[in-house]
Amino acid sequence: QAELSSRMRAWLRHLPALAGVLLLGVALYVIQRELAGLKVDEVLSALDDIPNRRLWQAGIATVASYVVLTFYDMLGTRFVGHPLSYGKVAFASFTAYALAHNIGFAMLSGAAIRYRLYVLWGLTPLQIAGVVAFTSLTFVLGGLVLGGISLVFVPYAIPVLGPYAPRWVTLSVGITMLVLVVLYALLGRFRTRPLVLFGTTVPLPGPRMALAQIVLATADVAIVAAIFEALLPPIPELGFLGVLAVYVSAYTTAMASHVPGGLGVFDTLILVGLAPYMPAANIVGAILIFRLLYYILPLFIAGTLFGANEVIIRRIAVGRLLAQSARWGDPVVVPALAGAV
């Protein structure tokens, strides 16, 4: 029995990775089926059709989204009792989110980057864990709010399940999600003592802090959906709320899959959700620009900033290494230059 229990625990540990691989396999199959007849020229034509005004809107919304994300960490550092200057928090938040969005396993990869930076600025490991938990919960609150609104008002727009689920099911689940958010906002008001979960004391945010979390997270998810909506042709049948429902479903599923960048999983649900309303070429074009703006460009900027920060931190060690290399290289510099000439 003990051996069987140990095997079960081993399987459960691997379950998220197995689920991610399964989702990726299904996604690749669906993408292949949906795009089998698509030509590159059609995608290029769809990209040309996106107005410059819409591209600017998407770019500005991208910057706004990453700015809003910095306030997740700002609230988190205050919540754990170690507030930092906005510049430090913004740097840690931007690098953590930009890299985590692309690496996958966002909670772990984002936590590693936050630990590397926040420990330099005096936060204890327990406080850093508190910031990570706080920011993760903040994102979940935004997903609950907008997911609940989508299920209540536009359930037909949710890919795969929405058009076929009974109305009473989508309405019940949506209302439950919204009620959970309200209960969270009120919990800190009516329970002043911390919760104890698995032997760990978990402090509760006050009503103002909880309300700030909900507003920030809801705004962030809505802004990111607006990036994607700006890159699509107008869809009167869906409107912004319908596009929001498709995006929230695709993004949360991609996050749950832990596939780096949600590659394949996010794209599949977007394709399935929007295919009834427009040609595949327009959807693929929007996905490509969205990934460039929200994933690729921030990845390069954050990677460069993080690398530069590491060099600055190690400037003394780097200086010694360069000096030592120069001493070792002196005997060969002149022959090497002469040979090159």
Side-chain angles (χ1 to χ4, degrees), residues 102-295:
N102 289 274
I103 294 170
F105 291 94
M107 190 169 178
L108 294 177
S109 54
I113 298 206
R114 284 185 176 89
Y115 181 84
R116 175 70 184 121
L117 295 172
Y118 283 143
V119 77
L120 297 173
W121 300 326
L123 273 74
T124 65
L126 187 60
Q127 287 176 325
I128 297 170
V131 173
V132 172
F134 185 90
T135 55
S136 300
L137 178 59
T138 303
F139 172 78
V140 170
L141 290 170
L144 286 173
V145 171
L146 294 176
I149 291 173
S150 300
L151 285 166
V152 170
F153 294 104
V154 286
Y156 58 86
I158 295 174
V160 183
L161 299 177
Y164 308 105
R167 180 66 181 127
W168 68 269
V169 172
T170 57
L171 191 62
S172 301
V173 174
I175 291 174
T176 301
M177 293 168 73
L178 295 173
V179 168
L180 287 174
V181 175
V182 173
L183 290 176
Y184 173 79
L186 297 175
L187 190 60
R189 181 178 181 85
F190 294 105
R191 183 186 175 94
T192 55
R193 292 179 300 169
L195 294 174
V196 179
L197 299 175
F198 306 106
T200 303
T201 301
V202 181
L204 296 171
R208 290 185 179 180
M209 181 74 77
L211 182 61
Q213 282 182 276
I214 295 166
V215 170
L216 279 175
T218 304
D220 171 54
V221 178
I223 290 170
V224 181
I227 301 170
F228 194 76
E229 194 263 348
L231 301 170
L232 294 169
I235 315 174
E237 304 94 327
L238 280 182
F240 176 71
L241 199 57
V243 175
L244 177 67
V246 173
Y247 169 78
V248 170
S249 304
Y251 188 72
T252 51
T253 306
M255 288 280 288
S257 73
H258 299 302
V259 175
L263 195 62
V265 179
F266 173 83
D267 315 88
T268 298
L269 287 174
I270 292 289
L271 276 167
V272 171
L274 297 179
Y277 305 99
M278 66 181 65
N282 294 99
I283 304 172
V284 172
I287 290 173
L288 290 174
I289 300 297
F290 175 78
R291 284 198 172 278
L292 175 66
L293 291 175
Y294 194 70
Y295 287 87

